[in-house]
Each structure stands twice: as C-alpha cells, then as structure tokens.
Amino acid sequence: MKLRTQILFSILGITFFAQAVFGFLAYRQITESRGDQLTIFLQYLNREIAERLMMPGNVTISKIYLEELRKKFSTPKSTLLVQKGSRILYVASDIEIDIEKLTKHFNEAYLDSDKLCLIDVNGVEYYWAIAKLPDEKYTLVMLEPAANEEIMIASALRFRLITSGVVILWVAVWVSLLLSSKISKQLDAKNDELEHLALHDTLTGLPNRALLTERLEQALLQAERSSQPFSLFLMDLDRFKEVNDTLGHQFGDELLKMVSSRILNCMRKIDSIARLGGDEFAVLLPQTDYKGTVYCAERILRSMDEPFSINNVSTESKVSIGIAIYPDHGTTADALMQYADVAMYQAKRSQSGYAFYDPLQNTHTLRRLQLMNDLREAVEQNKIKVYYQPLVDNSTQKVVCVEALARWHHYELGDITPDEFIPMAEQMGLIRLLTFQVLTQSLSDLSGWKVKGHDLGVNVNLSTYCLQDMRLPAEIESIISNYSIDASQIEFEITESALMHDVSRARKIIDQLNY
Amino acid sequence: VIIYISFIDSDIINDSLSANILGGVGVLSLIVAIMGVCPLYSLADINTLCQKQKDK
C-alpha cells in the first residue's frame, strides 16, 4: 500500500474511532442522567423496604404492599416490580404493560449490562433502575416511562451527534487527503533526492558506478535476448591529476564538467555515460557493433580537440578510451569492466586515443598496473634515487656541472627506466613531488660537494606540467634558500615529453625562474 | 441525497440546526460537482482523471 493511502486510512481510522467513542459517551450521558437519579431513589426505596421487612411482625412482600410502597415513594406513572431470578413475581403499576414482553426485554437488557438504563418496549422507552433486597433472593425493579421532553432532547442530540459526526468525517477526509498528500510529496521528493544522490555523481550529475553497473546488467540481459552486441568504454583524462594539482581543484572540477558535457553531446539517447570517480568516465553503447563503436570513440576524441577555456585559462585535455565489446571480449559485467580498463591503459600507453581490448596485452598491462601502484609509494616514501651524470669541460678536463637523473629500483621488477616511470608520474600527478625531491637531493649533495671544495652546477629536468604551477618559483626559491647555493648554479631542463597546457602561463613561470 | 434529507424531507432530520449543517455540506458538494473544479483537489494534488486524460 502506498504511503499516501496509509496516511489517509490511518487518519480516517482515528476519526472513526474518535467519533464512535464520542457518540457512545454522549449517548450514555443522556440516557444515564435520568437513570442515575432513579438508581439513587431506588437505593433509598430499597432501604425503606428493607427496614420495613426487618420490623417485628413484618409484612410479607405482596402486590398490595408493593402498590402501597409505589404510591408512597414513586410517581403515578412508575411501575414497581419484584423479580425472583428472571421471573417477575409482583407488578405494581397504573398503566397497562405487557409483562411478558417487558420481562423479555428487561432480562435481555439486564443481561447485557447492569448499567443500561433505557429500554424500549413496544415503542415506549422506559428508564429503569434495580436494587437487590437484603436477603438477595428478590430484586426490586423500578420502571418509569421516559418523559416526552426527554425523548425529544435525546432525539435532537442524536441528530446533532450524527450531523457533527458527518461534518467531522467530511473535514477529516479532506484534512487527511491534504496531509497525506503533503507528507507523501515531501517524502517522495526526499526519496527521489536520496536515490539521485546514491546513483549520480554530484559534480557532473552523471550516473555513478552503481547506476552504470545496473545498466550494464540490463544491457547484458537485453543483448542476450536480442543477440546484439554492445560496447563499453572506460576513459580517463590524460594527465588530469597534474592539471588538478597545478591549476587547482576548482579548475579540475570545471574541466570535468566540460569534458562530461562534450562526451554527452557525442552520445545517442539510448547510450549511458557515467563518472566512475576522479577523471574516469564510462560509456555504455547498447546495440552497437564494431563499426559503430569506432565511430563513437572517434567522435569523442574529436570533441576533445578544441581547448577548454576555464576562467580565461586555456588548456588542452585528451582522453584515452579503452573498449570492450560484448560478447567478443567478455560476457559478464565484471569481465567487460576489467577488459575495458586494460584496454584503456593500452590506449594511454600507445597514445592512440582509443584501443580495443587485446588479450595479448593483458600481461603487459598488469605490469604497468603494478608499477603505477608501487610508484606512488616509492615517490611518497622518497625511494627514487638521484644519480649524477658529470659534464666535463674538454679544455680543462674538469667536471663543471652534473645532471641530476632520477632512478627507480623496483623491489621485484628491478631497475625501471625513467622513460617508463616519468610519464607515469606525470599521469598520476606525482611529477611535482618527484621534481622537488630530486631538486632537494641535488642541492643537498651540491652543498656537500661545495664544502669539500667542488664548486659545481647542477641541471635538473623540469616537466612541462610543473610549468603550469604558479607556486613553483616561490617553492624553488624556498628550497634554494635552505642551502648555501647560488641560484646561478642551477639549470632547469624542460622535458618535451608532453604537450604544454598553457604556453603563456609557462612563459611567466620560466621568466620568474630566470629572475 | 444530503440536500433532500436536509432541506426537502424535514421528517428525516427534525432538528433544524443539524439539517442546515448537513445541507451546507451537500450544497458545497453540489457546487463543486457543477463547476467541475475543486480548489481542495489542487491543494491536495489529487487528480481523478484517468491516465489518458492526464496525458492530454
């Protein structure tokens, strides 16, 4: 049952219950008010009769004696009767009463409740009250017809009770409808919001991994039924981490939004695009064959050709797309995700823009994944060593300068060449930290050599990604100031391993470094 | 029915106050039925039209 209906029925139920209780109590109040007076009167009468019965030479209970008592203590219209068990022994009354019917009605009423003080006999309503005589064998009952005025009041009250009941019910229905509608609307909105939050990325508004997995499962079922292939793209932005670190997270967030918007523009309505986290996106292309997949991948790559302009800073961003196709590459969601991931690293390494999953490349990719995993730890724990290549002046045959070279010895895979791990560091956004580590180590060594009488210069490689970081000159200055080194002894070599994001920005930083 | 038992056949409800209140409810309902628009419906966001009419 829907929440709205539940609230509606709950409020209506409470109203009905309140109405029933109110009606019952009000009606009982009307009928009992007279009955209570009679009961008090009967108790008094009972005491009188008891006293008389206990007097010496007392009179036995008879109809004549009962008549006397009635005339003495009650009203002319009242009826006094003595019962023994359920049998009526004597009746004292001026009016004609069908004793048989009265007995039946009275016994029914008496059995129902000893407090029910109004009974209807042949259309005439009687109040009644009861008292037991001291010997417990006999019961004294007094009946008095309800006066016309009382009947009219009771009737009017009954109608007013019914009317108020109907009106309250009518109002309650509307109140419950309004309340249930308002509450359920608010809850529905909250639920929708929570569901959206649970299944969508807050930055780009795109579906997240959970929703993508759900859609992927649906696509698998549909593809199984229709025997049609579909494709899964996994893509990430090349060197996004570097952009994020150098230009700030806000810039990175804006870039992600723009990238997602461009990818969306390349999609059909039936396609799904999701942000899996960081700079990683996924695209699900249902009912798409190899040709359609290539077309779509190229379209996405073309959409990234135009530079992104954010806050007057222009930057280029490329994506690497890994593609897995159902059923050629895998038939389960997990397999397709994994293979698309492998293909993505393949595309990144080959810089081809996109790559289909190739089982032969899987092993190579596993090595790369392991290296990427370990490189972070190596940089963060300062495990990258600095080696120096001397530059000798031919005329003097003396070493005048050294070139600082970063070397990484992997505990399992042995020496890793800079050609392999430097691009990785650039992609993973570790290049800035690595550069500072190399620079600090070089200056420390240079300072030590100077103490020993070797006054040398040092060349340090600087990635173009570092040239996007406006804080770089100040931080280099800070490092230099820690050692007694003249800034002219340091030379930076700018590597050309990557495209420069923003040439004018890089120019400014180079000028500051020269200064 | 409510209007009939409230205003026309006075034997059913012989209390004028009750009859007037009930009759008022009946008249309100009749007006809403004739107009075909109930402000409370829009407040409560209730729509009793069938799906096809809603879509139109």
mmCIF file of all heavy atoms in Angstrom, chain A residues 81-121:
data_model
loop_
_atom_site.group_PDB
_atom_site.id
_atom_site.type_symbol
_atom_site.label_atom_id
_atom_site.label_comp_id
_atom_site.label_asym_id
_atom_site.label_seq_id
_atom_site.Cartn_x
_atom_site.Cartn_y
_atom_site.Cartn_z
ATOM 1 N N LEU A 81 -41.721 -3.493 40.299
ATOM 2 C CA LEU A 81 -41.908 -4.934 40.215
ATOM 3 C C LEU A 81 -40.832 -5.659 41.010
ATOM 4 O O LEU A 81 -39.739 -5.143 41.217
ATOM 5 C CB LEU A 81 -41.955 -5.419 38.764
ATOM 6 C CG LEU A 81 -40.857 -5.030 37.793
ATOM 7 C CD1 LEU A 81 -39.778 -6.061 37.822
ATOM 8 C CD2 LEU A 81 -41.442 -4.901 36.409
ATOM 9 N N VAL A 82 -41.222 -6.864 41.456
ATOM 10 C CA VAL A 82 -40.276 -7.666 42.230
ATOM 11 C C VAL A 82 -39.947 -8.910 41.410
ATOM 12 O O VAL A 82 -40.836 -9.589 40.900
ATOM 13 C CB VAL A 82 -40.862 -8.060 43.601
ATOM 14 C CG1 VAL A 82 -39.940 -9.038 44.309
ATOM 15 C CG2 VAL A 82 -41.080 -6.841 44.465
ATOM 16 N N GLN A 83 -38.689 -9.158 41.255
ATOM 17 C CA GLN A 83 -38.244 -10.330 40.495
ATOM 18 C C GLN A 83 -37.597 -11.333 41.424
ATOM 19 O O GLN A 83 -36.967 -10.960 42.425
ATOM 20 C CB GLN A 83 -37.177 -9.898 39.486
ATOM 21 C CG GLN A 83 -37.712 -9.457 38.159
ATOM 22 C CD GLN A 83 -36.579 -9.351 37.145
ATOM 23 O OE1 GLN A 83 -35.524 -8.837 37.453
ATOM 24 N NE2 GLN A 83 -36.819 -9.870 35.958
ATOM 25 N N LYS A 84 -37.795 -12.591 41.079
ATOM 26 C CA LYS A 84 -37.017 -13.625 41.758
ATOM 27 C C LYS A 84 -36.288 -14.362 40.637
ATOM 28 O O LYS A 84 -36.916 -15.044 39.829
ATOM 29 C CB LYS A 84 -37.945 -14.562 42.538
ATOM 30 C CG LYS A 84 -37.186 -15.518 43.437
ATOM 31 C CD LYS A 84 -38.113 -16.372 44.242
ATOM 32 C CE LYS A 84 -37.307 -17.246 45.186
ATOM 33 N NZ LYS A 84 -38.195 -18.130 45.960
ATOM 34 N N GLY A 85 -35.042 -14.210 40.578
ATOM 35 C CA GLY A 85 -34.271 -14.716 39.427
ATOM 36 C C GLY A 85 -34.690 -13.922 38.209
ATOM 37 O O GLY A 85 -34.706 -12.704 38.230
ATOM 38 N N SER A 86 -35.083 -14.600 37.113
ATOM 39 C CA SER A 86 -35.529 -13.883 35.931
ATOM 40 C C SER A 86 -37.067 -13.834 35.864
ATOM 41 O O SER A 86 -37.652 -13.395 34.883
ATOM 42 C CB SER A 86 -34.969 -14.562 34.670
ATOM 43 O OG SER A 86 -35.433 -15.889 34.634
ATOM 44 N N ARG A 87 -37.698 -14.306 36.923
ATOM 45 C CA ARG A 87 -39.176 -14.364 36.940
ATOM 46 C C ARG A 87 -39.741 -13.166 37.708
ATOM 47 O O ARG A 87 -39.234 -12.806 38.781
ATOM 48 C CB ARG A 87 -39.613 -15.659 37.632
ATOM 49 C CG ARG A 87 -41.080 -16.030 37.437
ATOM 50 C CD ARG A 87 -41.231 -17.526 37.697
ATOM 51 N NE ARG A 87 -40.747 -17.888 39.019
ATOM 52 C CZ ARG A 87 -41.512 -17.866 40.115
ATOM 53 N NH1 ARG A 87 -42.789 -17.519 40.056
ATOM 54 N NH2 ARG A 87 -41.006 -18.205 41.279
ATOM 55 N N ILE A 88 -40.784 -12.549 37.112
ATOM 56 C CA ILE A 88 -41.401 -11.406 37.781
ATOM 57 C C ILE A 88 -42.532 -11.919 38.687
ATOM 58 O O ILE A 88 -43.453 -12.602 38.239
ATOM 59 C CB ILE A 88 -41.928 -10.395 36.749
ATOM 60 C CG1 ILE A 88 -40.735 -9.802 35.957
ATOM 61 C CG2 ILE A 88 -42.733 -9.293 37.425
ATOM 62 C CD1 ILE A 88 -41.129 -8.924 34.810
ATOM 63 N N LEU A 89 -42.432 -11.587 39.967
ATOM 64 C CA LEU A 89 -43.409 -12.089 40.937
ATOM 65 C C LEU A 89 -44.597 -11.125 41.092
ATOM 66 O O LEU A 89 -45.752 -11.506 40.978
ATOM 67 C CB LEU A 89 -42.740 -12.296 42.299
ATOM 68 C CG LEU A 89 -41.644 -13.360 42.358
ATOM 69 C CD1 LEU A 89 -41.056 -13.422 43.751
ATOM 70 C CD2 LEU A 89 -42.214 -14.720 41.980
ATOM 71 N N TYR A 90 -44.265 -9.889 41.316
ATOM 72 C CA TYR A 90 -45.329 -8.900 41.539
ATOM 73 C C TYR A 90 -45.058 -7.683 40.692
ATOM 74 O O TYR A 90 -43.918 -7.270 40.512
ATOM 75 C CB TYR A 90 -45.367 -8.474 43.013
ATOM 76 C CG TYR A 90 -45.434 -9.633 43.961
ATOM 77 C CD1 TYR A 90 -44.331 -9.981 44.722
ATOM 78 C CD2 TYR A 90 -46.627 -10.376 44.090
ATOM 79 C CE1 TYR A 90 -44.376 -11.042 45.592
ATOM 80 C CE2 TYR A 90 -46.669 -11.446 44.961
ATOM 81 C CZ TYR A 90 -45.544 -11.776 45.711
ATOM 82 O OH TYR A 90 -45.584 -12.822 46.559
ATOM 83 N N VAL A 91 -46.170 -7.080 40.210
ATOM 84 C CA VAL A 91 -46.049 -5.840 39.447
ATOM 85 C C VAL A 91 -47.028 -4.828 40.040
ATOM 86 O O VAL A 91 -48.195 -5.141 40.253
ATOM 87 C CB VAL A 91 -46.381 -6.052 37.959
ATOM 88 C CG1 VAL A 91 -46.292 -4.738 37.197
ATOM 89 C CG2 VAL A 91 -45.482 -7.087 37.350
ATOM 90 N N ALA A 92 -46.529 -3.653 40.319
ATOM 91 C CA ALA A 92 -47.405 -2.580 40.791
ATOM 92 C C ALA A 92 -47.332 -1.453 39.788
ATOM 93 O O ALA A 92 -46.282 -0.831 39.613
ATOM 94 C CB ALA A 92 -46.931 -2.104 42.154
ATOM 95 N N SER A 93 -48.464 -1.224 39.050
ATOM 96 C CA SER A 93 -48.422 -0.200 38.012
ATOM 97 C C SER A 93 -49.831 0.295 37.715
ATOM 98 O O SER A 93 -50.793 -0.462 37.821
ATOM 99 C CB SER A 93 -47.803 -0.798 36.746
ATOM 100 O OG SER A 93 -47.807 0.145 35.734
ATOM 101 N N ASP A 94 -49.927 1.585 37.346
ATOM 102 C CA ASP A 94 -51.228 2.136 36.967
ATOM 103 C C ASP A 94 -51.466 2.022 35.480
ATOM 104 O O ASP A 94 -52.575 2.212 35.004
ATOM 105 C CB ASP A 94 -51.276 3.627 37.355
ATOM 106 C CG ASP A 94 -51.563 3.773 38.843
ATOM 107 O OD1 ASP A 94 -51.906 2.767 39.462
ATOM 108 O OD2 ASP A 94 -51.399 4.898 39.358
ATOM 109 N N ILE A 95 -50.424 1.763 34.771
ATOM 110 C CA ILE A 95 -50.579 1.690 33.305
ATOM 111 C C ILE A 95 -50.479 0.226 32.862
ATOM 112 O O ILE A 95 -49.909 -0.616 33.559
ATOM 113 C CB ILE A 95 -49.510 2.539 32.583
ATOM 114 C CG1 ILE A 95 -48.104 2.191 33.111
ATOM 115 C CG2 ILE A 95 -49.786 4.012 32.733
ATOM 116 C CD1 ILE A 95 -46.996 2.836 32.341
ATOM 117 N N GLU A 96 -51.033 0.012 31.666
ATOM 118 C CA GLU A 96 -51.032 -1.367 31.174
ATOM 119 C C GLU A 96 -49.678 -1.696 30.553
ATOM 120 O O GLU A 96 -49.200 -0.989 29.666
ATOM 121 C CB GLU A 96 -52.143 -1.533 30.131
ATOM 122 C CG GLU A 96 -53.488 -1.780 30.761
ATOM 123 C CD GLU A 96 -54.537 -2.158 29.729
ATOM 124 O OE1 GLU A 96 -54.147 -2.618 28.636
ATOM 125 O OE2 GLU A 96 -55.715 -1.976 30.033
ATOM 126 N N ILE A 97 -49.106 -2.735 31.027
ATOM 127 C CA ILE A 97 -47.801 -3.151 30.499
ATOM 128 C C ILE A 97 -47.874 -4.633 30.162
ATOM 129 O O ILE A 97 -48.429 -5.432 30.933
ATOM 130 C CB ILE A 97 -46.688 -2.915 31.542
ATOM 131 C CG1 ILE A 97 -46.462 -1.413 31.745
ATOM 132 C CG2 ILE A 97 -45.385 -3.566 31.136
ATOM 133 C CD1 ILE A 97 -45.440 -1.079 32.790
ATOM 134 N N ASP A 98 -47.334 -4.947 28.993
ATOM 135 C CA ASP A 98 -47.260 -6.364 28.613
ATOM 136 C C ASP A 98 -46.088 -6.981 29.396
ATOM 137 O O ASP A 98 -44.927 -6.809 29.045
ATOM 138 C CB ASP A 98 -47.009 -6.468 27.096
ATOM 139 C CG ASP A 98 -47.096 -7.898 26.611
ATOM 140 O OD1 ASP A 98 -46.928 -8.818 27.464
ATOM 141 O OD2 ASP A 98 -47.319 -8.104 25.410
ATOM 142 N N ILE A 99 -46.446 -7.648 30.492
ATOM 143 C CA ILE A 99 -45.417 -8.167 31.405
ATOM 144 C C ILE A 99 -44.461 -9.127 30.698
ATOM 145 O O ILE A 99 -43.248 -9.119 30.915
ATOM 146 C CB ILE A 99 -46.087 -8.866 32.614
ATOM 147 C CG1 ILE A 99 -46.908 -7.857 33.410
ATOM 148 C CG2 ILE A 99 -45.035 -9.530 33.517
ATOM 149 C CD1 ILE A 99 -46.128 -6.732 34.039
ATOM 150 N N GLU A 100 -45.085 -9.957 29.821
ATOM 151 C CA GLU A 100 -44.260 -10.970 29.137
ATOM 152 C C GLU A 100 -43.142 -10.317 28.298
ATOM 153 O O GLU A 100 -41.968 -10.668 28.390
ATOM 154 C CB GLU A 100 -45.152 -11.801 28.227
ATOM 155 C CG GLU A 100 -44.591 -13.183 27.979
ATOM 156 C CD GLU A 100 -45.619 -14.038 27.254
ATOM 157 O OE1 GLU A 100 -46.746 -14.184 27.756
ATOM 158 O OE2 GLU A 100 -45.264 -14.499 26.168
ATOM 159 N N LYS A 101 -43.592 -9.306 27.529
ATOM 160 C CA LYS A 101 -42.617 -8.607 26.680
ATOM 161 C C LYS A 101 -41.627 -7.834 27.527
ATOM 162 O O LYS A 101 -40.420 -7.783 27.236
ATOM 163 C CB LYS A 101 -43.329 -7.647 25.716
ATOM 164 C CG LYS A 101 -43.893 -8.353 24.512
ATOM 165 C CD LYS A 101 -44.431 -7.384 23.502
ATOM 166 C CE LYS A 101 -44.981 -8.146 22.301
ATOM 167 N NZ LYS A 101 -45.683 -7.274 21.368
ATOM 168 N N LEU A 102 -42.163 -7.201 28.549
ATOM 169 C CA LEU A 102 -41.308 -6.414 29.441
ATOM 170 C C LEU A 102 -40.235 -7.298 30.077
ATOM 171 O O LEU A 102 -39.049 -6.949 30.124
ATOM 172 C CB LEU A 102 -42.156 -5.750 30.527
ATOM 173 C CG LEU A 102 -41.382 -4.858 31.496
ATOM 174 C CD1 LEU A 102 -40.778 -3.659 30.789
ATOM 175 C CD2 LEU A 102 -42.268 -4.413 32.636
ATOM 176 N N THR A 103 -40.655 -8.480 30.523
ATOM 177 C CA THR A 103 -39.723 -9.421 31.144
ATOM 178 C C THR A 103 -38.610 -9.781 30.156
ATOM 179 O O THR A 103 -37.422 -9.778 30.486
ATOM 180 C CB THR A 103 -40.460 -10.700 31.571
ATOM 181 O OG1 THR A 103 -41.609 -10.328 32.287
ATOM 182 C CG2 THR A 103 -39.576 -11.595 32.410
ATOM 183 N N LYS A 104 -39.078 -10.086 28.925
ATOM 184 C CA LYS A 104 -38.106 -10.496 27.901
ATOM 185 C C LYS A 104 -37.090 -9.370 27.622
ATOM 186 O O LYS A 104 -35.876 -9.564 27.690
ATOM 187 C CB LYS A 104 -38.858 -10.841 26.616
ATOM 188 C CG LYS A 104 -37.997 -11.499 25.563
ATOM 189 C CD LYS A 104 -38.808 -11.732 24.320
ATOM 190 C CE LYS A 104 -37.856 -12.042 23.168
ATOM 191 N NZ LYS A 104 -38.443 -11.730 21.888
ATOM 192 N N HIS A 105 -37.650 -8.180 27.349
ATOM 193 C CA HIS A 105 -36.786 -7.031 27.033
ATOM 194 C C HIS A 105 -35.892 -6.693 28.211
ATOM 195 O O HIS A 105 -34.703 -6.446 28.049
ATOM 196 C CB HIS A 105 -37.640 -5.803 26.694
ATOM 197 C CG HIS A 105 -38.206 -5.859 25.323
ATOM 198 N ND1 HIS A 105 -37.428 -5.774 24.190
ATOM 199 C CD2 HIS A 105 -39.476 -5.989 24.890
ATOM 200 C CE1 HIS A 105 -38.192 -5.852 23.132
ATOM 201 N NE2 HIS A 105 -39.456 -5.999 23.525
ATOM 202 N N PHE A 106 -36.522 -6.686 29.384
ATOM 203 C CA PHE A 106 -35.768 -6.270 30.558
ATOM 204 C C PHE A 106 -34.626 -7.240 30.863
ATOM 205 O O PHE A 106 -33.510 -6.837 31.162
ATOM 206 C CB PHE A 106 -36.712 -6.142 31.753
ATOM 207 C CG PHE A 106 -35.970 -5.818 33.007
ATOM 208 C CD1 PHE A 106 -35.371 -4.567 33.155
ATOM 209 C CD2 PHE A 106 -35.816 -6.746 34.010
ATOM 210 C CE1 PHE A 106 -34.663 -4.260 34.283
ATOM 211 C CE2 PHE A 106 -35.096 -6.443 35.142
ATOM 212 C CZ PHE A 106 -34.513 -5.194 35.284
ATOM 213 N N ASN A 107 -34.961 -8.559 30.740
ATOM 214 C CA ASN A 107 -33.918 -9.555 31.011
ATOM 215 C C ASN A 107 -32.768 -9.455 30.022
ATOM 216 O O ASN A 107 -31.611 -9.593 30.372
ATOM 217 C CB ASN A 107 -34.505 -10.972 30.987
ATOM 218 C CG ASN A 107 -35.251 -11.246 32.279
ATOM 219 O OD1 ASN A 107 -34.974 -10.626 33.299
ATOM 220 N ND2 ASN A 107 -36.229 -12.130 32.228
ATOM 221 N N GLU A 108 -33.134 -9.185 28.757
ATOM 222 C CA GLU A 108 -32.070 -9.009 27.741
ATOM 223 C C GLU A 108 -31.196 -7.821 28.086
ATOM 224 O O GLU A 108 -29.973 -7.886 28.066
ATOM 225 C CB GLU A 108 -32.684 -8.814 26.355
ATOM 226 C CG GLU A 108 -33.102 -10.122 25.712
ATOM 227 C CD GLU A 108 -33.862 -9.887 24.414
ATOM 228 O OE1 GLU A 108 -33.964 -8.738 23.974
ATOM 229 O OE2 GLU A 108 -34.359 -10.884 23.870
ATOM 230 N N ALA A 109 -31.875 -6.717 28.416
ATOM 231 C CA ALA A 109 -31.129 -5.505 28.764
ATOM 232 C C ALA A 109 -30.311 -5.720 30.033
ATOM 233 O O ALA A 109 -29.163 -5.284 30.122
ATOM 234 C CB ALA A 109 -32.100 -4.345 28.966
ATOM 235 N N TYR A 110 -30.906 -6.414 30.967
ATOM 236 C CA TYR A 110 -30.246 -6.638 32.248
ATOM 237 C C TYR A 110 -29.007 -7.507 32.074
ATOM 238 O O TYR A 110 -27.972 -7.305 32.698
ATOM 239 C CB TYR A 110 -31.249 -7.290 33.206
ATOM 240 C CG TYR A 110 -30.665 -7.528 34.574
ATOM 241 C CD1 TYR A 110 -30.199 -6.461 35.341
ATOM 242 C CD2 TYR A 110 -30.596 -8.810 35.110
ATOM 243 C CE1 TYR A 110 -29.679 -6.674 36.593
ATOM 244 C CE2 TYR A 110 -30.081 -9.028 36.372
ATOM 245 C CZ TYR A 110 -29.610 -7.958 37.116
ATOM 246 O OH TYR A 110 -29.076 -8.165 38.343
ATOM 247 N N LEU A 111 -29.170 -8.507 31.189
ATOM 248 C CA LEU A 111 -28.030 -9.392 30.931
ATOM 249 C C LEU A 111 -26.904 -8.644 30.220
ATOM 250 O O LEU A 111 -25.736 -8.888 30.452
ATOM 251 C CB LEU A 111 -28.471 -10.596 30.083
ATOM 252 C CG LEU A 111 -29.245 -11.669 30.835
ATOM 253 C CD1 LEU A 111 -29.805 -12.678 29.857
ATOM 254 C CD2 LEU A 111 -28.364 -12.355 31.868
ATOM 255 N N ASP A 112 -27.326 -7.760 29.311
ATOM 256 C CA ASP A 112 -26.315 -7.028 28.544
ATOM 257 C C ASP A 112 -25.443 -6.167 29.443
ATOM 258 O O ASP A 112 -24.228 -6.184 29.365
ATOM 259 C CB ASP A 112 -26.982 -6.118 27.501
ATOM 260 C CG ASP A 112 -27.323 -6.895 26.260
ATOM 261 O OD1 ASP A 112 -26.857 -8.036 26.157
ATOM 262 O OD2 ASP A 112 -28.063 -6.368 25.430
ATOM 263 N N SER A 113 -26.089 -5.413 30.258
ATOM 264 C CA SER A 113 -25.311 -4.531 31.137
ATOM 265 C C SER A 113 -26.188 -4.080 32.293
ATOM 266 O O SER A 113 -27.349 -3.709 32.087
ATOM 267 C CB SER A 113 -24.831 -3.325 30.344
ATOM 268 O OG SER A 113 -24.390 -2.342 31.227
ATOM 269 N N ASP A 114 -25.626 -4.103 33.446
ATOM 270 C CA ASP A 114 -26.438 -3.680 34.591
ATOM 271 C C ASP A 114 -26.508 -2.159 34.694
ATOM 272 O O ASP A 114 -27.114 -1.614 35.585
ATOM 273 C CB ASP A 114 -25.893 -4.275 35.896
ATOM 274 C CG ASP A 114 -24.470 -3.858 36.142
ATOM 275 O OD1 ASP A 114 -23.857 -3.240 35.233
ATOM 276 O OD2 ASP A 114 -23.965 -4.134 37.228
ATOM 277 N N LYS A 115 -25.890 -1.498 33.761
ATOM 278 C CA LYS A 115 -25.936 -0.044 33.810
ATOM 279 C C LYS A 115 -26.752 0.547 32.672
ATOM 280 O O LYS A 115 -26.850 1.767 32.543
ATOM 281 C CB LYS A 115 -24.522 0.524 33.767
ATOM 282 C CG LYS A 115 -23.806 0.393 35.090
ATOM 283 C CD LYS A 115 -22.575 1.215 35.101
ATOM 284 C CE LYS A 115 -21.970 1.198 36.501
ATOM 285 N NZ LYS A 115 -20.769 2.005 36.557
ATOM 286 N N LEU A 116 -27.267 -0.318 31.797
ATOM 287 C CA LEU A 116 -28.055 0.201 30.679
ATOM 288 C C LEU A 116 -29.407 0.642 31.228
ATOM 289 O O LEU A 116 -30.183 -0.159 31.733
ATOM 290 C CB LEU A 116 -28.245 -0.882 29.610
ATOM 291 C CG LEU A 116 -28.860 -0.401 28.315
ATOM 292 C CD1 LEU A 116 -27.910 0.499 27.549
ATOM 293 C CD2 LEU A 116 -29.257 -1.578 27.456
ATOM 294 N N CYS A 117 -29.706 1.889 31.172
ATOM 295 C CA CYS A 117 -30.848 2.423 31.910
ATOM 296 C C CYS A 117 -32.014 2.805 31.031
ATOM 297 O O CYS A 117 -32.926 3.487 31.467
ATOM 298 C CB CYS A 117 -30.410 3.626 32.720
ATOM 299 S SG CYS A 117 -29.227 3.173 33.971
ATOM 300 N N LEU A 118 -32.004 2.453 29.762
ATOM 301 C CA LEU A 118 -33.127 2.811 28.889
ATOM 302 C C LEU A 118 -33.481 1.600 28.042
ATOM 303 O O LEU A 118 -32.641 1.063 27.341
ATOM 304 C CB LEU A 118 -32.714 3.986 27.985
ATOM 305 C CG LEU A 118 -33.832 4.722 27.275
ATOM 306 C CD1 LEU A 118 -34.730 5.453 28.271
ATOM 307 C CD2 LEU A 118 -33.257 5.720 26.270
ATOM 308 N N ILE A 119 -34.748 1.183 28.164
ATOM 309 C CA ILE A 119 -35.181 0.084 27.290
ATOM 310 C C ILE A 119 -36.447 0.508 26.554
ATOM 311 O O ILE A 119 -37.189 1.374 27.019
ATOM 312 C CB ILE A 119 -35.423 -1.248 28.070
ATOM 313 C CG1 ILE A 119 -36.460 -1.052 29.181
ATOM 314 C CG2 ILE A 119 -34.144 -1.824 28.593
ATOM 315 C CD1 ILE A 119 -36.909 -2.363 29.803
ATOM 316 N N ASP A 120 -36.626 -0.123 25.416
ATOM 317 C CA ASP A 120 -37.753 0.216 24.554
ATOM 318 C C ASP A 120 -38.727 -0.963 24.568
ATOM 319 O O ASP A 120 -38.354 -2.088 24.216
ATOM 320 C CB ASP A 120 -37.209 0.474 23.136
ATOM 321 C CG ASP A 120 -38.278 1.016 22.217
ATOM 322 O OD1 ASP A 120 -39.381 0.464 22.221
ATOM 323 O OD2 ASP A 120 -37.992 1.990 21.493
ATOM 324 N N VAL A 121 -39.933 -0.711 25.024
ATOM 325 C CA VAL A 121 -40.949 -1.780 24.999
ATOM 326 C C VAL A 121 -42.123 -1.287 24.167
ATOM 327 O O VAL A 121 -42.787 -0.308 24.539
ATOM 328 C CB VAL A 121 -41.425 -2.136 26.426
ATOM 329 C CG1 VAL A 121 -42.396 -3.316 26.389
ATOM 330 C CG2 VAL A 121 -40.251 -2.438 27.324
#
